[in-house]
Amino acid sequence: MADATEPTASADTESKTPASVVESTELENKPQTAEITSTSMVDAAEPTASVETESKPPASAAESTEPENKSQTVEIKRWADVVDDEEQPSGTASSSEDKIAEELKVDKLTIDDAQKINKFLDDPEDSRIQAVTSGDTPYTSASTFEDLNLSPELLKGLYVEMKFQKPSKIQAISLPMILTPPYKDLIAQAHNGSGKTTCFVLGMLSRVDPNVKRPQALCICPTRELSIQNLEVLQKMGKYTGISSECAVPMESGNSDRSRSRPPIFAQVVIGTPGTIKRLMSQKKLSVIDMKVLVFDEADHMLAKDGFQDDSLRIMKDIERLNARCQILLFSATFDETVKNFVSRIVKKDHNQLFVKKEELSLDSVKQYKVYCPDEMVKILVIKDRILELGENLGQTIIFVNTKRSAGMLHKALVDLGYEVTTIHGALTHEDRDKIVKEFKDGLTQVLISTDLLARGFDQQQVNLVINYDLPVKYETPSEPHYEVYLHRIGRAGRFGRKGAVFNFVMSERDAMIMEKIDKYFGTQVKAVPSWNSEEDFKIALKEAGLL
DNA sequence: AAAAAAC
């Protein structure tokens, strides 16, 4: 197990973002001014956070300095974690505040500071999130959940159920923007594992009027699995609020009731996939008249041309027609330039935005490697002799492939060799998919082969190893890497700042080129494992990654 | 000719 590193994150600083304005359209995301007032930066960071689907983790926590402690806090978990309990903080030093202060003066953008501070505290190169706010609404980043005026029931859910202690960086920055009237739209990018889910889940829960027994918050996700996972987080966090919620995903294909039609939805919060939501709306089984918040998780994909753009826009327009002021929240770890431009045009003019430069998007806690494999047979041998043998004690592993066929073939090859692995892809029945995911989440299976079905958002903290059996490439131009998918895949390891390793299998000259392009794009230098045939080389790599 | 979603 690796260590549990606990991330921490935190943003502590409070920065206020002044407004900078901007029209989004024109300035892409260049933030404009923002100053930061850093008020206090005080504490070291500790984040706690959330569960999310993705984001960057921070690392370590240090806690010694903790100023306040709430009595209600139960255990401390750090960055996002929900589940895990291992934890051990590492100490980061509370670094001298002066240093921090010094840095602070320098900055320009808001959230940047938060990161700088954090940098000193824990994670060495942390990411900077650039914020661009519109209008003159001032926002102060939240150093504690109390700063957010959440209901006591919701706070209890955060501390008792989620075991969060304080907001992670993205939470500290985005929550005030989400919860402060006037409720502006938000486009938010944050690292894998940093706690984005908590941001929009809290946003949905806190904006629901408990007295109105009709749907008031809707969250659209790219897969059935992610919808279910997000609903579970919401139900846990909102346990004491009494707010009702429901999943709107395709019904069990169970033989028995296909005929029985789905009943109308009255839950106050609805989370689901685009097709089902669209259908429910057209059948008038999902009323959007009281909708206050519309969330798109993995928003870049949901609004991409080759993603769910049509369904997403349709849903968005149907809601806005009845409710022009419905707040739209877009979250993802990735937003390529094209999508970024597109989404900033479809949200309201006075929206706020948070972005992270692509060069700062890779998680430092997750070490990336490439392994030259002469042919397909070698790839299987590497999986068998290196990964399955060595990896057993390292936590769980996800092996990504590009096609369902590839998934099936690899699965068969490994099973024939006597290994226990499970495989998931969209051609399986919903029941089988649910079962495979549950077994993996329960830790009953160690190695999971998957298509990009699980590339995004899947949150299983025990995953320390990710294998790109096939490198992700663009469908239209297979010689080009699919940068976003790559980032999402590797983000399945290193949740919340934990350590992890990624092995990219490079079989052809084309693959080598793809890895080069990936390095260039993200500003990384993925190291090569000298020989696929050397157990020692893999051990060194894993040791370097902190897994051995 | 893919991944997923779903009619």
Side-chain angles (χ1 to χ4, degrees), chain A residues 44-290:
Chain A
E46 274 265 308
T48 8
S50 41
V51 167
E52 268 298 9
T53 35
E54 350 207 16
S55 353
K56 176 181 214 130
S60 60
E63 303 248 30
S64 22
T65 26
E66 232 14 30
E68 63 210 10
N69 29 328
K70 353 187 138 186
S71 36
Q72 11 186 3
T73 316
V74 183
E75 330 180 353
I76 310 191
K77 275 194 151 200
R78 309 160 178 248
W79 251 55
D81 16 317
V82 185
V83 187
D84 244 356
D85 309 78
E86 24 187 32
E87 50 181 289
Q88 9 194 40
S90 45
T92 317
S94 45
S95 27
S96 23
E97 316 202 352
D98 31 335
K99 261 190 193 169
I100 297 179
E102 203 172 347
E103 275 272 322
L104 285 180
K105 321 178 180 169
V106 191
D107 315 10
K108 7 162 179 201
L109 299 184
T110 323
I111 306 183
D112 238 3
D113 303 319
Q115 302 85 353
K116 290 194 173 165
I117 295 185
N118 218 23
K119 179 178 211 169
F120 283 121
L121 299 182
D122 11 319
D123 199 46
E125 81 141 348
D126 219 307
S127 46
R128 308 159 130 76
I129 299 175
Q130 306 184 322
V132 178
T133 56
S134 75
D136 52 5
T137 309
Y139 297 106
T140 299
S141 96
S143 48
T144 68
F145 286 116
E146 278 77 3
D147 293 344
L148 300 166
N149 292 315
L150 303 173
S151 68
E153 294 76 22
L154 206 39
L155 278 177
K156 185 176 177 187
L158 285 169
Y159 294 131
V160 179
E161 292 299 310
M162 307 305 290
K163 306 199 168 50
F164 290 166
Q165 185 176 343
K166 73 184 266 186
S168 67
K169 190 181 312 169
I170 180 64
Q171 292 160 8
I173 298 163
S174 74
L175 286 168
M177 294 182 175
I178 295 171
L179 304 173
T180 307
Y183 303 110
K184 296 180 181 175
D185 290 351
L186 172 68
I187 301 173
Q189 178 181 21
H191 302 79
N192 280 315
S194 62
K196 289 188 293 298
T197 303
T198 292
C199 296
F200 62 77
V201 163
L202 266 184
M204 294 194 288
L205 288 172
S206 45
R207 301 246 0 245
V208 167
D209 177 344
N211 302 312
V212 176
K213 309 299 184 187
R214 276 192 294 189
Q216 297 167 63
L218 178 61
C219 173
I220 325 262
C221 313
T223 62
R224 169 193 177 80
E225 284 69 20
L226 195 48
S227 299
I228 293 170
Q229 178 179 287
N230 286 337
L231 185 76
E232 288 170 349
V233 172
L234 182 133
Q235 294 184 332
K236 190 171 181 184
M237 201 179 300
K239 181 174 175 183
Y240 307 103
T241 64
I243 291 171
S244 56
S245 56
E246 187 173 333
C247 225
V249 296
M251 292 199 299
E252 306 301 342
S253 56
N255 16 17
S256 62
D257 60 346
R258 160 192 350 310
S259 50
R260 189 174 13 171
S261 72
R262 179 195 287 269
I265 291 186
F266 295 106
Q268 292 159 314
V269 180
V270 180
I271 300 181
T273 45
T276 299
I277 301 229
K278 197 179 60 169
R279 188 169 54 83
L280 287 169
M281 284 172 60
S282 67
Q283 293 176 171
K284 308 285 186 203
K285 289 181 177 174
L286 173 56
S287 162
V288 296
I289 190 80
D290 296 300

Side-chain angles (χ1 to χ4, degrees), chain A residues 359-409:
Chain A
E359 292 82 4
E360 307 192 351
L361 222 40
S362 299
L363 306 182
D364 299 317
S365 55
V366 177
K367 293 287 180 249
Q368 304 175 53
Y369 297 97
K370 49 190 171 189
V371 183
Y372 295 102
C373 303
D375 54 48
E376 205 74 26
M377 181 59 81
V378 170
K379 283 187 177 183
I380 292 173
L381 283 178
V382 172
I383 296 274
K384 167 180 167 294
D385 297 332
R386 307 285 166 259
I387 311 305
L388 298 182
E389 298 297 331
L390 283 178
E392 283 294 312
N393 315 311
L394 307 178
Q396 291 173 295
T397 300
I398 296 182
I399 301 173
F400 284 107
V401 293
N402 288 348
T403 65
K404 286 177 275 203
R405 194 170 65 96
S406 180
M409 290 176 50

